[in-house]
Amino acid sequence: MVGFPAVLAGAQLLVLEAWAVVALVLVGIGLLVRRAAGAAARDAGELLDCFWLGWAALLLGLQVWHLARPIDDAARAACLLAGAIGLVAGGLTPWRALARGAVRDAPALAAAVLLAVWVSNHALAGARYGDVAAYFVPTVRWLVEQRIVPGLGNLHAHYALNQSYFGYVAALEAGPFAGRSHHLANGLLALALGLRVALAAWRTLRLGRATGPVDVFYVLVAPGIFALVVSIWLTSPNPDVGVFALGTVVAAELLALAVDAPSRRLVHLRAATLLAVTGVTVKLSFAGFAAGALLVGLGLYLAAERPRARDGARQIAVLTGIGLAAIVPWIVRNVIMSGLPFYPSAVIALPVDWRVGTDVEGWLRNTVYVGGWRAIVRSPMWFAGILRNWGWQAPDVLGPIVVGLAGCGYALAVRLARRLGGLPAPALPIALVVPALASLVFCLVMSPVPRYAGATVWVLAAIGILLAAGERAWRARSPLRPVLLAVAAVATAATLRAGLDPLWLDLRDFEVTSPIRWEPRRLETGGVVNVPLGIEACGAAPLPCTPYPNPALRWRREGDLAAGFMLDPVLHARYRYDPARRVVR
């Protein structure tokens, strides 16, 4: 750890410049999406909301693009063009509001600059998580170099996991960041969340003015957000960071839907729908949160607006269209890469010659999590041991859960007492906690790894506190506001102290990771694959590469990677293939 440098490292400036360009593109795309949803952006907070709408639209657009072409320079040019059109169409109103508030919000702007410098310092670190070389980097290589490949899951089961997040990473593989996109991808997402926290903290600190529950919410989730910066996930292109971001932003949209003006409720509902469904394509572990958010969002809208049946049906049709626009391309991609519409689940398997011939779902069930909900009910002590093994007892996991559940319990008791006393209900509906609870249950039953839950535990804590505190948390001159700020600051300091990295890294250039050695190997079918030496990960080895060469693997068209892969039926019957380990006779 060293002191804050007088002049930033050249690599750091390069990261900051790239982030500025990418952020403007995403905001521009988001402005288009927001206008399509029914409202233009008005201020800095809504510009940051547009960043996430733009990111979701980018992921969905690249899913479709990759069906026909690699994510190459043409794709990047299309993204730049869409961003530029959005910035022009979005008009000057939000930028003027940002400029007018520059003096008033100077502390928030200063904090934003310091945040950018801090996060860009950590962005220089190398990728350190094991799965980066195992399948993150190879997945990005396939996206950049080839259009979607039929039967890619036969080469390596993980290459067909179809997480839309990697399209975003592939789009960053350009110029000086070719092969270095991991220095940009998650750092920009963490910075965007951090900037929203800085704005929210300043608004909450100005006690003479009323703020809103969304701002207090961002203050309360700050510990989880800033912990990302000092973790190994910042420079590991891991979709869990994308899931964390989307969980946070979707929860904020639902809060806004509950309290914003009637004219903007529909915008928040459509934004929450787009972000929630996109999260499912980023990683299936988000499905619980997404399902809860969709149900709560629609319920809040219908309860507040009470539309006529025809109008309600029309809005439900629009929301369904948004969902299908995200999910249908994702399912199509699953079919092409594996023959299974809901890969890795084999609940539906299509009779195509490139269908993945290994029980990937069974392997995941037996290695990541053994049991299911029936085993949990039968053996609760065994399940408690599983949770301890995965780290659910850690203070930054168990602590937010306890706080959130306690806050929700208190809020529920208050609501029951007010109802019995004939008093009006509090401003925030208790249903806002449903997405976090649904996510928690889904992750515990399906794959009880804390990081798979994304922002769930912090969202649960923040919503629980808001429900318990009520309007005192955001009312003008409320003495509770500085208390909540102080609590969030202490919790943030604790999570930073527990991080793997120091607050400032002694790096002046991009940290270099060792290359992986590989050798070509001819299979019994005659095809040649590259196999890594001494490690079960391909990293940036030339395509096609797999650490687990299956002798039954063959090209669907000799020598043509774009035609895809299949398993020779005769050889496949002769071998028993473990997708994670080895082939045995």
Side-chain angles (χ1 to χ4, degrees):
M1 182 168 177
V2 297
F4 194 83
V7 180
L8 295 180
Q12 229 177 312
L13 289 174
L14 196 61
V15 168
L16 289 168
E17 291 166 1
W19 280 348
V21 172
V22 176
L24 282 173
V25 169
L26 294 178
V27 168
I29 296 173
L31 285 167
L32 288 177
V33 175
R34 190 175 178 90
R35 288 180 70 88
R42 301 171 297 184
D43 56 25
E46 292 185 352
L47 283 176
L48 287 170
D49 293 341
C50 286
F51 173 94
W52 297 109
L53 294 175
W55 190 65
L58 176 79
L59 297 185
L60 303 186
L62 290 176
Q63 281 196 114
V64 176
W65 177 282
H66 189 239
L67 294 173
R69 288 183 58 93
I71 299 179
D72 52 10
D73 286 342
R76 298 179 189 102
C79 294
L80 287 170
L81 179 60
I85 292 172
L87 290 172
V88 173
L92 296 176
T93 300
W95 306 101
R96 284 173 177 161
L98 182 63
R100 283 196 302 269
V103 175
R104 180 195 63 207
D105 298 329
L109 294 175
V113 171
L114 292 176
L115 273 174
V117 171
W118 178 51
V119 179
S120 64
N121 166 255
H122 282 266
L124 301 182
R128 289 166 285 170
Y129 181 56
D131 281 352
V132 171
Y135 81 97
F136 295 173
V137 171
T139 296
V140 172
R141 288 208 66 171
W142 281 103
L143 290 167
V144 170
E145 297 184 20
Q146 297 286 335
R147 63 174 174 81
I148 192 166
V149 175
L152 186 59
N154 287 313
L155 180 67
H156 189 330
H158 285 75
Y159 295 170
L161 287 178
N162 189 26
Q163 294 163 331
S164 62
Y165 163 88
F166 289 113
Y168 158 68
V169 180
L172 300 176
E173 288 276 316
F177 290 98
R180 291 175 170 169
S181 56
H182 58 281
H183 294 292
L184 296 179
N186 285 340
L188 179 58
L189 304 185
L191 178 59
L193 289 174
L195 295 180
R196 186 63 182 87
V197 170
L199 180 62
W202 172 237
R203 288 176 173 176
T204 306
L205 190 61
R206 296 166 61 205
L207 299 179
R209 293 173 176 261
T211 183
V214 174
D215 287 320
V216 180
F217 168 80
Y218 273 107
V219 168
L220 294 172
V221 296
I225 291 171
F226 291 130
L228 294 173
V229 180
V230 293
S231 72
I232 63 173
W233 313 118
L234 191 80
T235 51
S236 299
N238 187 331
D240 291 327
V241 175
V243 166
F244 187 105
L246 288 174
T248 304
V249 178
V250 169
E253 289 288 351
L254 293 178
L255 271 170
L257 170 61
V259 300
D260 209 345
S263 61
R264 307 186 76 79
R265 285 180 186 141
L266 194 56
V267 176
H268 294 302
L269 176 61
R270 291 174 177 175
T273 300
L274 172 63
L275 295 167
V277 180
T278 300
V280 177
T281 72
V282 170
K283 195 166 185 177
L284 277 172
S285 60
F286 193 72
F289 197 104
L294 293 175
L295 289 174
V296 170
L298 182 60
L300 291 177
Y301 175 77
L302 294 177
E305 295 292 321
R306 300 187 181 278
R308 293 178 300 177
R310 186 173 181 179
D311 293 335
R314 184 185 304 115
Q315 296 307 328
I316 292 174
V318 171
L319 299 179
T320 302
I322 293 172
L324 291 176
I327 290 297
V328 170
W330 179 77
I331 292 176
V332 170
R333 291 175 58 80
N334 277 336
V335 170
I336 293 174
M337 289 195 289
S338 68
L340 308 175
F342 301 102
Y343 184 83
S345 172
V347 64
I348 299 176
L350 301 183
V352 292
D353 63 0
W354 65 81
R355 188 176 69 197
V356 170
T358 54
D359 183 12
V360 180
E361 181 182 17
W363 169 75
L364 289 171
R365 184 170 57 249
N366 292 325
T367 55
V368 178
Y369 184 47
V370 182
W373 68 268
R374 291 183 179 87
I376 296 173
V377 174
R378 287 195 303 265
S379 306
M381 296 304 296
W382 165 84
F383 180 61
I386 291 288
L387 297 186
R388 284 194 299 272
N389 291 341
W390 283 114
W392 286 87
Q393 81 285 3
D396 60 344
V397 178
L398 185 59
I401 293 175
V402 171
V403 170
L405 294 178
C408 292
Y410 175 79
L412 183 60
V414 169
R415 280 158 172 75
L416 289 174
R418 292 176 70 92
R419 184 168 184 175
L420 292 173
L423 299 174
L428 295 180
I430 202 163
L432 288 169
V433 77
V434 168
L437 292 177
S439 176
L440 195 61
V441 172
F442 182 84
C443 289
L444 287 174
V445 173
M446 300 302 296
S447 52
V449 180
R451 64 181 173 84
Y452 291 173
T456 294
V457 298
W458 295 105
V459 169
L460 178 61
I463 295 296
I465 292 172
L466 284 171
L467 290 173
E471 294 185 16
R472 292 173 297 171
W474 61 87
R475 195 169 52 216
R477 297 181 179 84
S478 169
L480 186 59
R481 284 167 57 176
V483 172
L484 293 178
L485 270 171
V487 169
V490 170
T492 299
T495 57
L496 291 177
R497 184 180 178 86
L500 294 179
D501 286 342
L503 289 182
W504 188 266
L505 299 179
D506 188 9
L507 292 172
R508 303 289 294 174
D509 204 347
F510 297 112
E511 194 171 43
V512 178
T513 55
S514 301
I516 291 174
R517 296 183 302 115
W518 54 272
E519 66 176 12
R521 185 176 302 177
R522 185 170 296 277
L523 305 174
E524 289 189 33
T525 57
V528 177
V529 296
N530 298 317
V531 180
L533 299 175
I535 187 173
E536 295 181 343
C538 283
L543 306 181
C545 178
T546 177
Y548 317 117
N550 188 343
L553 184 72
R554 61 180 291 184
W555 278 234
R556 295 182 64 239
R557 189 163 55 240
E558 189 64 31
D560 185 1
L561 290 182
F565 304 93
M566 61 181 291
L567 297 180
D568 183 277
V570 175
L571 291 176
H572 181 56
R574 188 189 305 169
Y575 291 97
R576 178 170 60 85
Y577 180 55
D578 181 338
R581 295 300 174 192
R582 60 184 65 84
V583 175
V584 293
R585 289 185 182 276

